[in-house]
Amino acid sequence: MGSSNGQRLGITEPISLAGPTDDDLMRTRKLEKYLRDVNLYESQEEAVSREEVLGRLDQIVKIWVKKISRAKGLNDQLLQEANAKIFTFGSYRLGVHGPGADIDTLCVGPRHATREEDFFGELHQMLTEMPEVTELHPVPDAHVPVMKFKFSGVSIDLLYARLSLWVIPEDLDISQDSILQNADEQTVRSLNGCRVTDQILRLVPKIQNFRTTLRCMRFWAKRRGVYSNVAGFLGGINWALLVARICQLYPNAVPSMLVSRFFRVYTQWRWPNPVLLCAIEEGSLGLQVWDPRRNPKDKYHLMPIITPAYPCMNSSYNVSTSTLRIMMDEFQRGHEICEAMEKNEADVDWDTLFEPFTFFEAYKNYLRIDISAENADDLRNWKGWVESRLRQLTLKIERHTYNMLQCHPHPGDFSDKSKPLYCSYFMGLQRKQGVPVGEGEQFDIRLTVKEFKQAVSMYTLRKPGMQISVAHVTRRNLPNFVFPGGVRPSRPSKGTWDSRRALERKVSSHTKPGADDGRKRKQTDDNVDTHLRNAKCHATMPSSSGEFPEGSPIMSTISSSSINLQFEHMDANELAGSNREKVGNNLTDSIRGSRNSVEVSSHNGKVDGPMIGDPRNKGPSFNSSNSKDAEKLAIEKIMSGPYVADQAFPLELDQLEDDLELKNQAKDFAGSTQNNSLGSCAVNIAAEATLTSMNGGSSSSALSPNGGLGELEPVELTAPFSNVIPSAPVTQRKPLIRLNFTSLNKAT
């Protein structure tokens, strides 16, 4: 496949055709051993069990379709030919699943087998009556309707596609575009997973190298906390597409090389240039495909990773400014480690690359979201809804504070064993680095949190007992159940790559008197603020003394010097506050300022680029001293294209809140300020809340029963809008944002 028969895969020429050196082969063997040692491969017994479950499931849907065909009175011939078929997709189909992983499956049925009545009705009832089926959970209202359950202990996610055919042939080829003829939107979405997975396998040159590299990158992303589509990072299909593109660009590379090139390429990638495995086909069915030139919504995508099957769409639309900043920083970290490994530096190996990100050591302030329900089924439904809304909280906070308060959502959830129907989520919070801090400055996001809770409470299936609370908690007051084994570390992690690099930066900053890159970052910040002001959104202006407007809730505060120490002087383990900022402070400017040329060409989608290591290439060989410079030029060439996409500034909140109920709720929330000259945008900015850490002093235990953990409840949030929103637009060049974190307890 691919380069083995002279076929070029991808829309450009490869960057390099060079094969591995002896050192590359040695590092690959070590990588494969590492992946086996961390138990990323399932046992033969488990593999056989999965195949048996899939075979049994295929039999069940065949019985199901005959049963409903008979009930609908079909003639004998159609009844005899009635058929349904099971397909797999996702990690199982790609061959990169691990022990205990679920299997993504698709049931394809005929036109007379409906989704609502037959799939979620009759088939659901059949599964309920089977003793080997447990934890059956239908989600018919999801964007892609699904039934989740365990079959003989194997987790299954089952989708349904209703085709326009009366009979489903056993040799059905769902890769043909004609299969989408007359299909409803839910069927198109359901089929998309299988079609994309199969197309990826067709578009990579050496499947085994692709699989090993993808296993590696999935494991790395989970260890570094950037594996979660719902949290705004990347999910399984996104990582698969990114890895597949690297395989196309380096078709003869082995996994250790592909991992290194992954970080090398995507560290240099100028988002929002899209990643494409093949040319975007318009198709003949009239389905909308990703195209920022024609679809205004596509212009807001920050990290486009385009699926290769018709209709081509962006698989990473959930990515926000904050999560892109975090991922770009992680790419840079991976690049530095791979470079060190290739130089055979001491104490740098695959363990170094896969060091877990110490999320609960990285920040001094966190937002904690607690949810609870009365039973396990309610909690599962409530969790799914809340998780789908958490990204909106991140977007609201960052937008309402002009990206000065940055959020890092943890992709997982945490449970307290003493509270079985209770679940917690956490977001790391930090002030944007490199921005001068005025005395008494602070954030106020209480009304933003209130707005978020109101939106979450609009869940149509909400039942009594489904509760949510949002609170600010400092690092020292984090609950023990977030730490491994429920035991809080006695001291921060030391000796890791992150801690060493953070310490080096700290030492370097002290050894260069006056050497501060704050000015450079400030220039980028000014550009961002200027654009935000053009959107006519203005922040509340507190008095120069730092006091709150009359009528605001009384709050204890801490000194400016204390907060400066808290945010600007990090210990050696707070990499997130230093390394992430180096990328983040220039990210928005890069998004706005880049030419945004796209990997699309009028010549059958092909863009020619230089090849390194190609015998036909008279330029420098891959192994020459300037090969990396040549690679950099090749990457730049790949990102050049025949047209420029007019990338809009990412006003994610307006663009991504596509839920009609959420929009209605936001309008209701703004109702009391309709006559204000700032309009709804000012209402959003007014919905800022104060997150603060205690500065000694006593506090009311009734208001803060958890000590240091201030609950952001409405009683503490209420402040007349007239005291929050100025009657006229602010005339200052830059909005003054208060930057203290203080508790929400009333001063005593």
Side-chain angles (χ1 to χ4, degrees), residues 320-390:
S320 67
T321 302
S322 62
T323 53
L324 177 56
R325 170 181 56 86
I326 292 165
M327 287 187 286
M328 288 297 291
D329 177 70
E330 288 297 336
F331 291 163
Q332 180 64 38
R333 173 188 177 274
H335 176 58
E336 292 174 0
I337 292 174
C338 288
E339 290 279 290
M341 278 197 290
E342 291 177 355
K343 294 177 182 177
N344 295 318
E345 291 187 11
D347 301 325
V348 181
D349 53 18
W350 292 114
D351 269 320
T352 309
L353 181 67
F354 297 117
E355 285 174 358
F357 176 62
T358 52
F359 181 82
F360 292 108
E361 294 179 15
Y363 301 96
K364 291 188 176 181
N365 293 276
Y366 296 86
L367 205 60
R368 173 177 172 178
I369 302 96
D370 295 329
I371 64 172
S372 59
E374 291 187 350
N375 57 65
D377 287 338
D378 285 355
L379 181 62
R380 181 167 54 246
N381 293 333
W382 188 227
K383 279 181 62 177
W385 169 251
V386 172
E387 287 175 357
S388 71
R389 298 290 99 191
L390 285 177

Side-chain angles (χ1 to χ4, degrees), residues 37-272:
D37 290 345
V38 294
N39 197 31
L40 290 189
Y41 295 86
E42 68 178 356
S43 65
Q44 183 62 31
E45 293 77 11
E46 186 174 1
V48 172
S49 176
R50 288 175 183 272
E51 292 179 5
E52 292 175 349
V53 165
L54 289 173
R56 181 77 177 101
L57 186 60
D58 192 60
Q59 293 175 355
I60 291 171
V61 298
K62 284 174 166 49
I63 295 172
W64 161 72
V65 77
K66 287 187 179 295
K67 183 176 181 180
I68 62 172
S69 298
R70 185 178 297 106
K72 293 177 185 287
L74 269 65
N75 61 47
D76 292 341
Q77 181 179 354
L78 288 178
L79 183 60
Q80 183 179 357
E81 296 176 347
N83 189 34
K85 186 171 174 58
I86 291 291
F87 294 86
T88 62
F89 61 100
S91 63
Y92 183 83
R93 177 71 179 92
L94 289 172
V96 296
H97 60 287
D102 59 2
I103 305 179
D104 295 312
T105 57
L106 170 71
C107 173
V108 176
R111 62 188 303 169
H112 58 275
T114 65
R115 178 178 290 103
E116 294 77 13
E117 179 182 352
D118 298 323
F119 181 77
F120 284 107
E122 183 61 34
L123 181 59
H124 176 268
Q125 183 61 34
M126 289 175 60
L127 294 173
T128 302
E129 298 170 356
M130 296 180 178
E132 59 265 52
V133 175
T134 58
E135 301 180 24
L136 181 59
H137 176 53
V139 192
D141 298 324
H143 186 65
V144 181
V146 59
M147 264 201 292
K148 298 174 177 284
F149 55 93
K150 286 188 176 181
F151 197 108
S152 299
V154 176
S155 296
I156 300 289
D157 285 356
L158 181 61
L159 311 183
Y160 180 64
R162 178 190 181 190
L163 302 187
S164 59
L165 304 174
W166 282 105
V167 176
I168 302 299
E170 195 62 26
D171 59 351
L172 178 68
D173 182 6
I174 60 175
S175 67
Q176 299 297 318
D177 291 349
S178 59
I179 207 74
L180 304 175
Q181 189 76 41
N182 299 322
D184 57 51
E185 290 186 8
Q186 292 171 319
T187 290
V188 172
R189 296 191 200 111
S190 298
L191 285 166
N192 191 55
C194 288
R195 288 166 53 82
V196 167
T197 303
D198 289 348
Q199 189 72 345
I200 290 174
L201 293 175
R202 294 187 186 100
L203 291 173
V204 292
K206 297 180 180 179
I207 291 179
Q208 190 54 50
N209 287 345
F210 163 75
R211 285 173 171 161
T212 301
T213 307
L214 181 54
R215 280 186 189 273
C216 172
M217 296 311 306
R218 285 164 55 95
F219 180 65
W220 171 84
K222 292 174 182 178
R223 298 277 279 192
R224 299 303 299 174
V226 291
Y227 189 100
S228 173
N229 187 283
V230 70
F233 296 107
L234 301 181
I237 189 63
N238 310 128
W239 293 109
L241 292 169
L242 290 181
V243 170
R245 184 65 179 125
I246 300 301
C247 291
Q248 290 181 341
L249 295 174
Y250 300 89
N252 297 321
V254 293
S256 66
M257 297 170 63
L258 292 170
V259 171
S260 174
R261 303 315 185 265
F262 180 98
F263 292 119
R264 183 180 300 174
V265 169
Y266 293 123
T267 296
Q268 299 178 44
W269 200 267
R270 289 184 286 107
W271 305 104

Side-chain angles (χ1 to χ4, degrees), residues 437-483:
V437 184
E439 183 176 355
E441 291 182 338
Q442 63 185 18
F443 291 106
D444 188 350
I445 61 166
R446 288 172 299 173
L447 293 181
T448 303
V449 170
K450 180 179 181 180
E451 181 182 342
F452 165 74
K453 292 173 63 177
Q454 289 176 335
V456 170
S457 299
M458 295 176 64
Y459 181 41
T460 56
L461 301 179
R462 189 177 184 184
K463 296 181 180 179
M466 291 182 176
Q467 301 295 328
I468 182 171
S469 63
V470 184
H472 163 240
V473 57
T474 59
R475 183 171 60 194
R476 68 180 62 185
N477 292 310
L478 286 167
N480 289 337
F481 63 77
V482 304
F483 299 103

Side-chain angles (χ1 to χ4, degrees), residues 550-568:
E550 183 180 354
S552 297
I554 301 174
M555 293 176 291
S556 60
T557 59
I558 61 180
S559 66
S560 176
S561 60
S562 173
I563 199 65
N564 287 343
L565 177 66
Q566 181 175 2
F567 280 97
E568 294 183 356

Side-chain angles (χ1 to χ4, degrees), residues 490-548:
S490 58
R491 61 183 62 186
S493 303
K494 293 184 178 180
T496 64
W497 173 276
D498 294 347
S499 63
R500 293 197 301 269
R501 287 297 179 269
L503 184 59
E504 289 174 5
R505 293 186 183 93
K506 186 176 181 180
V507 172
S508 176
S509 65
H510 287 296
T511 57
K512 297 179 180 179
D516 184 9
D517 62 345
R519 291 185 179 179
K520 295 180 181 179
R521 291 196 293 259
K522 184 69 163 51
Q523 292 175 358
T524 300
D525 299 337
D526 286 340
N527 291 336
V528 176
D529 292 327
T530 300
H531 195 97
L532 286 169
R533 286 198 305 278
N534 292 336
K536 299 182 180 180
C537 296
H538 302 277
T540 301
M541 294 293 295
S543 64
S544 59
S545 63
E547 297 176 352
F548 286 90

Side-chain angles (χ1 to χ4, degrees), residues 627-699:
S627 62
K628 290 182 181 178
D629 291 337
E631 280 194 69
K632 185 173 182 179
L633 292 175
I635 295 169
E636 287 293 321
K637 180 71 173 179
I638 286 172
M639 287 185 289
S640 66
Y643 77 92
V644 175
D646 295 325
Q647 183 73 20
F649 188 80
L651 296 177
E652 302 106 329
L653 185 63
D654 292 338
Q655 193 65 27
L656 296 176
E657 282 187 342
D658 53 359
D659 187 281
L660 180 60
E661 292 180 340
L662 259 174
K663 290 183 179 179
N664 292 335
Q665 183 273 336
K667 291 178 182 178
D668 294 338
F669 183 75
S672 63
T673 61
Q674 289 297 317
N675 297 325
N676 191 287
S677 61
L678 293 180
S680 60
C681 188
V683 174
N684 287 337
I685 298 302
E688 300 170 2
T690 300
L691 298 169
T692 57
S693 57
M694 301 236 329
N695 182 31
S698 61
S699 61

